[in-house]
Amino acid sequence: MTRTWLIVAAAVMALGMAGTAQAAGDAAAGMAKAKSCAGCHGAKGEGVKKNPPLAGKDEAAFVAAMNDYKSGAKKHSMMNMLAKKLGDADIANLAAYYASLK
Ligand code: HEC
C-alpha cells in the first residue's frame, strides 16, 4: 500500500519537475497538501500556540525535519504519524509552499 503510494508520488514528482525544471518542489501542489497541516501550523503557516510556524522556513531544513519525523529520529507522536504518510514529493512540495510564505 505505502509502497505503491510512494511510486505514484515519485511519478507525480517526475512529471512536476519536467514542467517546472528549476524548483524541486511544487508550491501549488504543496498548498493543496497543507490543508491537513493548517489546523496546527496556521492557515498561512504562522504557527498556532505551541505549534511552530512554518512560513518562510528554509526548504532544506523543512525536508530534513520531516524526514527526521518520518524515521523517528525526531519524536512527536502527531508529526511522526503525519510524516509517515507523506512521500518525498509531498514533502518537497510542502517545503516549497511553506518557504514561499511570509
Ligand atoms: C496536531 C497538530 C499538528 C499537525 C496537524 C501538524 N503538525 Fe507539524 N508540528 C506540530 C508540533 C507540535 C511540532 C513541534 C514538534 C516538536 O517539538 O518536534 C511540529 C513540527 C513540525 C515541523 C518542524 C518545525 C521546525 O521548525 O523544526 C515541520 C516541518 C512540520 N511540523 C510540518 C508539518 C506538516 C507539513 C504538516 C501537515 C502534513 C504538519 N506539520 C501537521 C504539530 C502539528
Side-chain angles (χ1 to χ4, degrees), residues 4-97:
T4 314
W5 209 81
L6 278 174
I7 292 165
V8 170
V12 169
M13 184 164 93
L15 284 173
M17 281 170 83
T20 50
Q22 90 297 27
D26 177 346
M31 182 163 82
K33 274 273 160 194
K35 288 199 180 95
S36 59
C37 322
C40 290
H41 291 287
K44 293 207 174 301
E46 70 274 28
V48 178
K49 292 182 186 159
K50 64 184 166 62
N51 308 305
L54 299 177
K57 193 170 172 67
D58 178 70
E59 283 189 56
F62 186 106
V63 171
M66 291 305 281
N67 284 329
D68 283 351
Y69 286 123
K70 209 170 172 174
S71 71
K74 247 176 120 128
K75 295 210 190 307
H76 181 268
S77 57
M78 187 51 91
M79 286 308 305
N80 289 149
M81 194 192 81
L82 286 166
K84 282 196 186 108
K85 290 192 201 160
L86 297 171
D88 290 346
D90 293 323
I91 292 174
N93 294 344
L94 285 160
Y97 170 63

